[in-house]
Amino acid sequence: MFSGSPRSFWLDSSLVEPGRSRFSFLGDDQGPLAEFVRYDVGAGRCEIERAGRPMRRVRASVFDYLKRQLSNRRVDATGLPFDFTGGYVGYFGYEMKADCGSSNRHRSPAPDAAWLFADRVIAVDHEAGYTYAVCLAEDTPQAAREAADWLEGVLAGLSCVAAERPPLPGEPAPADPGAAEPWLVRDRATYIADIEACRRALRSGTSYEVCLTNAARLPAPPDALEFYRTLRRDNPAPYAAFLRFGELEVAGSSPERFLRIGRDGTAEARPVKGTAPRGDGPEEDARLRDALASDAKTRAENLMIVDLLRNDLGQVCRTGTVRVSKLMATETYATVHQLVSTVEGRLRAGTDAVDCVRACFPGGSMTGAPKLRTLEIIDSLETEARGVYSGALGYFGCGGGADLSIVIRTAVFADGLMHLGAGGAIVLGSDPDAEYEEMLLKTAAPMRALHRHTADRMRQQGPPGQKAGAAGEARR
């Protein structure tokens, strides 16, 4: 319904988890209230586009702009079971840290933040089996008629959706953790040297934990949406997403919630720190899962990030409400086991979802601790901007709620290239070779999806021809 739009979104609970990922949301920029906000953190300026109007430039942080707009467009949607009933969908890139107290050494070619105001949304309730069409409109007779027409058209379109799903393809081939290695921005020797530099900083006492990352850059497949459909099938995740924002597209299968803020002011973070591969059989899989849960080094990583998030939430939450409801639980996904904690709090009066995100950004699981000093260490070692990767992606609803993931296990498409970021936390107990292998492991899911998507496309095209060259290049 929205794939033909130049700007559209799919916040996709492709792996439904009770209490965490029940709803999916889809929409585009075709509504009468829709606007697209692009932000350059270096210039401190938002560019706002609305259909039929000249571009408007606002000298303000995108945090301040979103906060003001959401306040002006506040609606009461308490009759629905989900918080997103219209609002902004998009991302904050990692370099937004410059608006959160840390300077930037590197500049991203992508917008530092991009947000689409969606006034028409389809919401899918995977638990109850219902689909909702939601329309946010101005309180005028003309707007009411347009809203009714849109709802009628959407319901007619939804009635044509097949009730039965087609059979899914067979099980995907095992993930190859080394598939991205030829495409890395910093090779093995350089990355291991950077790990040693992190360890020197740790020994000197300037940091306790450094989240070091790398990136792979390779030719992009021609259809990012079809790639995403392969990714979500092979590696379903509770916070999966696809964004099409003009020339920039994002396809992710994130297992990590950054923050969820309810309409009642409750805030929840679910930091992931600690990753192990899946085993070849049930016994090996259980052994790897148990080893992750009991590993002292991994538990130290997780604990430091939990403490960091308690501090971050403490800046905006009522005294005494911040608590750790779940500490270091193991969760299993298609290619990895993860160690996950849950930190909760209740926002102070006069504080909203944008304030909470700003106080906690960037997510501690992508930085290390103490945050500001460690961000400086990261900038001195990494050779380019992280961009969308390591940032946050999701929605701010007009009813006051928000839900954002950490942008990991995600492919970013721009200028004919596919960008994959991956990394891991470096602590004193880190083994450089093991850290390098863990970094590669985190690229395995999108790389497997790329190979499968390319193979499927080649089969559909028949014998190799002129169009097969790019696919062959991407497989190399």
Side-chain angles (χ1 to χ4, degrees), residues 120 133 135 137 141-157:
R120 297 174 174 183
C135 191
Q142 176 65 24
R145 285 193 296 271
E146 291 177 355
D149 289 344
W150 181 81
L151 289 169
E152 183 178 345
V154 166
L155 293 175

Side-chain angles (χ1 to χ4, degrees), residues 172-181 183-184 214-221 223-224 226-237 240-241 249-255 275 333-336 338 389 407-413 418-423 438-455 474-475:
D176 175 9
E181 193 167 25
W183 308 98
L184 291 177
N214 202 347
R217 190 177 292 110
L218 59 161
D223 191 329
E226 285 305 310
F227 165 84
Y228 174 66
R229 294 179 69 190
T230 304
L231 177 66
R232 74 183 297 272
R233 185 174 67 235
D234 289 356
N235 192 56
E249 295 173 297
V250 181
S253 56
S254 176
T275 303
Y333 297 92
T335 59
V336 296
Q338 307 262 207
Y389 168 67
V407 183
I408 54 176
R409 317 294 193 271
T410 294
V412 180
F413 303 91
M418 171 175 162
H419 181 278
L420 295 176
E438 180 181 326
M439 179 272 295
L440 280 178
L441 173 64
K442 292 172 180 175
T443 67
M447 287 301 296
R448 179 175 68 179
L450 176 63
H451 292 163
R452 178 159 174 161
H453 166 70
T454 302
R475 276 205 313 280

Side-chain angles (χ1 to χ4, degrees), residues 47-356:
E47 295 180 344
I48 298 99
E49 297 180 28
R50 291 191 66 174
R53 301 185 185 183
M55 179 186 293
R56 186 162 59 98
R57 293 179 173 87
V58 176
R59 182 73 62 176
S61 168
V62 70
F63 289 118
D64 295 330
Y65 181 81
L66 293 178
K67 181 180 174 71
R68 182 169 64 248
Q69 290 294 97
L70 288 164
S71 176
N72 293 337
R73 293 174 165 181
R74 186 71 182 246
V75 295
D76 182 2
T78 53
L80 293 168
F82 44 86
D83 282 350
F84 186 58
T85 54
Y88 286 94
V89 176
Y91 70 84
F92 295 118
Y94 176 75
E95 279 67 40
M96 281 297 300
K97 64 189 177 70
D99 278 0
C100 304
S102 174
S103 60
N104 281 330
R105 177 172 293 192
H106 309 295
R107 182 165 185 166
S108 172
D112 295 302
W115 291 88
L116 170 66
F117 186 82
D119 53 343
R120 297 174 174 183
V121 177
I122 292 176
V124 181
D125 184 343
H126 298 285
E127 188 176 293
Y130 289 102
T131 297
Y132 296 78
V134 183
C135 191
L136 185 65
E138 293 179 331
D139 190 12
T140 67
Q142 176 65 24
R145 285 193 296 271
E146 291 177 355
D149 289 344
W150 181 81
L151 289 169
E152 183 178 345
V154 166
L155 293 175
L158 289 173
S159 67
C160 298
V161 175
E164 295 183 5
R165 297 181 181 180
L168 293 176
E171 284 293 314
D176 175 9
E181 193 167 25
W183 308 98
L184 291 177
V185 171
R186 305 197 316 282
D187 63 14
R188 182 186 187 104
T190 305
Y191 193 74
I192 287 179
D194 291 339
I195 293 172
E196 290 296 349
C198 292
R199 286 159 57 85
R200 287 195 296 273
L202 297 170
R203 285 192 292 269
S204 70
T206 57
S207 179
Y208 304 111
E209 177 176 355
V210 182
C211 184
L212 184 69
T213 75
N214 202 347
R217 190 177 292 110
L218 59 161
D223 191 329
L225 177 58
E226 285 305 310
F227 165 84
Y228 174 66
R229 294 179 69 190
T230 304
L231 177 66
R232 74 183 297 272
R233 185 174 67 235
D234 289 356
N235 192 56
Y239 312 112
F242 179 76
L243 301 181
R244 174 177 289 154
F245 282 176
E247 298 301 312
L248 179 79
E249 295 173 297
V250 181
S253 56
S254 176
E256 181 172 3
R257 169 174 279 160
F258 173 40
L259 283 169
R260 180 183 184 276
I261 299 100
R263 287 176 288 193
D264 59 354
T266 56
E268 178 194 84
R270 300 188 70 249
V272 172
K273 195 48 70 180
T275 303
R278 298 293 306 272
D280 289 335
E283 291 184 3
E284 184 187 11
D285 200 48
R287 180 183 61 78
L288 290 168
R289 178 186 173 101
D290 293 345
L292 174 70
S294 60
D295 180 66
K297 174 255 183 186
T298 300
R299 295 181 69 84
E301 289 180 23
N302 196 291
L303 181 61
M304 281 187 275
I305 298 308
V306 166
D307 275 343
L308 176 62
L309 272 162
R310 289 172 62 226
N311 177 74
D312 287 348
L313 284 173
Q315 299 179 62
V316 288
C317 288
R318 299 177 191 173
T319 302
T321 65
V322 178
R323 67 189 188 98
V324 181
S325 59
K326 187 177 292 184
L327 185 64
M328 302 187 213
T330 52
E331 295 182 0
T332 297
Y333 297 92
T335 59
V336 296
H337 300 292
Q338 307 262 207
L339 208 60
V340 185
S341 296
T342 305
V343 187
E344 300 172 339
R346 183 171 288 275
L347 297 184
R348 292 196 300 265
T351 303
D352 65 7
V354 176
D355 296 324
C356 185

